[in-house]
């Protein structure tokens, strides 16, 4: 990378020259990674998203077809596109007397593998099992005590966004346990937290205790597309236990989606 959008060969011995026939060009960045493999003879690409958030990458690709030495004066233009979906979280409470202390957020039963053909310009992206669980990089415990969505607390560290395989999520079926959801590969979010309610009589722990966090859960469904950023805004006001029973009110959410820009959702709990 020479800067200013200009690229060149690393060394003179790497240089190649135009043949007489047209050529197709494919590019992937980062160029090497332990979690993906590429088969050159048929242009297939396989990638597994690591469960360690710090090891996830912003995988990008580019494709230029039928290029010759006379096309664009012999310069190959490569427009890189994001391959994965980015997922981040924010949070508010549904009532001003609620306060939430969040230790961790984990998405369960997400397809973890990507298999595509570069020859098709990645127009077909297939996600496959095995399924995996992914924890958000929060950067520490977060406290949420605001009801105004415009002041929602960010739960994702600047380097903690999830980079996941595009896919359609089948949400956890109502009134069933998380064990059943795991067996059926149904997606849900687990939040390890403490939720308290403050009244004139004092503070009551609705989830967790003064000395321990507890998990609350809610279903997650929808479709993640390549190159889009999904912002889930959690609205705390309840949730479910591991058996699928409501705690003190249902969790809801909303989602906003945009082109690697942003896709937002609000989740009521």
């Amino acid at each position: 990378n020479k800067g200013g959008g200009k690229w060149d060969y690393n060394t003179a011995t790497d240089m190649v020259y135009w043949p007489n026939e047209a050529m197709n060009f494919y590019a992937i960045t980062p160029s090497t990674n332990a979690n993906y493999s590429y088969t050159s003879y048929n242009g297939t690409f396989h990638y597994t998203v690591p469960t360690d958030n710090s090891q996830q990458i912003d995988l990008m690709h580019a494709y230029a077809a039928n290029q010759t030495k006379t096309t664009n004066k012999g310069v190959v233009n490569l427009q890189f596109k994001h391959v994965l979906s980015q997922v981040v979280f924010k949070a508010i409470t549904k009532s001003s007397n609620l306060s939430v202390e969040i230790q961790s957020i984990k998405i369960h039963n997400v397809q973890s593998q990507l298999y595509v053909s570069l020859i098709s310009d990645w127009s077909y992206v297939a996600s496959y099992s095995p399924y995996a669980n992914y924890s958000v990089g929060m950067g520490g415990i977060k406290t949420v005590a605001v009801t105004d969505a415009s002041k929602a607390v960010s739960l994702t560290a600047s380097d903690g966004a999830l980079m996941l395989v595009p896919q359609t999520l089948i949400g956890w079926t109502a009134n069933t346990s998380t064990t059943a959801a795991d067996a059926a590969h149904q997606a849900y979010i687990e939040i390890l937290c403490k939720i308290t309610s403050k009244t004139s009589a004092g503070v009551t722990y609705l989830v967790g205790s003064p000395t321990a966090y507890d998990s609350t859960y809610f279903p997650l469904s929808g479709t993640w597309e390549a190159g889009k950023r999904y912002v889930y805004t959690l609205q705390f006001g309840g949730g479910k236990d591991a058996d699928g029973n409501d705690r003190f009110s249902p969790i809801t959410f909303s989602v906003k989606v945009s082109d690697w820009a942003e896709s937002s959702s609000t989740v009521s709990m």
Side-chain angles (χ1 to χ4, degrees):
N1 186 350
K2 301 297 183 180
K6 295 182 179 180
W7 293 74
D8 205 346
Y9 294 96
N10 190 41
T11 66
T13 56
D14 293 331
M15 189 172 294
V16 293
Y17 297 87
W18 284 104
N20 292 324
E21 65 271 14
M23 299 182 67
N24 296 332
F25 289 84
Y26 314 92
I28 302 168
T29 184
S31 59
T32 58
N33 186 274
N35 297 296
Y36 71 64
S37 61
Y38 170 66
T39 306
S40 60
Y41 68 86
N42 62 359
T44 55
F45 180 88
H46 178 259
Y47 174 69
T48 300
V49 178
T51 55
D52 182 350
N53 177 259
S54 66
Q55 298 300 310
Q56 293 172 12
I57 59 174
D58 181 10
L59 183 64
M60 301 182 74
H61 76 95
Y63 172 68
N66 299 316
Q67 301 292 298
T68 69
K69 59 185 176 182
T70 59
T71 304
N72 196 36
K73 297 181 180 179
V75 177
V76 179
N77 290 322
L78 294 172
Q79 178 65 51
F80 281 86
K81 300 177 182 178
H82 298 283
V83 174
L84 303 175
S85 303
Q86 186 182 112
V87 178
V88 299
F89 289 87
K90 295 181 179 180
I92 59 175
T93 62
K94 297 181 73 174
S95 172
S96 59
N97 69 332
L98 291 178
S99 179
V100 185
E101 186 176 297
I102 303 172
Q103 186 179 65
S104 66
I105 301 172
K106 181 184 290 186
I107 304 178
H108 289 256
N109 301 319
V110 176
Q111 292 181 339
S112 62
Q113 296 185 353
L114 178 78
Y115 186 81
V116 296
S117 172
L118 297 182
I119 296 173
S120 64
D121 187 24
W122 296 61
S123 58
Y124 176 70
V125 177
S127 53
Y128 292 96
S129 54
Y131 290 81
N133 305 327
Y134 294 98
S135 294
V136 177
M138 293 182 57
I141 293 171
K142 301 293 177 68
T143 298
V144 181
V146 296
T147 58
D148 187 346
S150 68
K151 299 178 181 178
V153 177
S154 175
L155 305 179
T156 309
S158 59
D159 59 351
L162 293 173
M163 299 290 187
L164 303 176
V165 170
Q167 62 193 275
T168 295
L169 301 165
I170 304 301
W172 174 24
T173 300
N175 302 317
T176 62
S177 68
T178 54
T179 300
D182 293 338
H185 304 305
Q186 296 173 345
Y188 60 91
I189 298 176
E190 176 184 4
I191 303 171
L192 190 60
C193 63
K194 299 176 183 179
I195 302 179
T196 57
S197 175
K198 185 177 181 180
T199 65
S200 58
V203 174
T204 300
Y205 278 81
L206 303 175
V207 176
S209 70
T211 59
Y213 293 90
D214 196 4
S215 291
T216 188
Y217 308 84
F218 64 92
L220 181 64
S221 60
T223 298
W224 293 338
E225 297 180 16
K228 292 189 181 294
R229 184 173 191 251
Y230 295 82
V231 182
Y232 288 89
T233 300
L234 308 176
Q235 297 179 330
F236 283 90
K240 295 180 180 295
D241 61 21
D243 293 321
N245 301 312
D246 289 336
R247 286 187 175 274
F248 53 94
S249 69
I251 293 178
T252 61
F253 67 91
S254 67
V255 179
K256 176 184 174 183
V257 180
S258 62
D259 293 334
W260 214 244
E262 200 162 279
S263 172
S264 299
S265 300
T266 299
V267 180
S268 295
M269 304 160 61

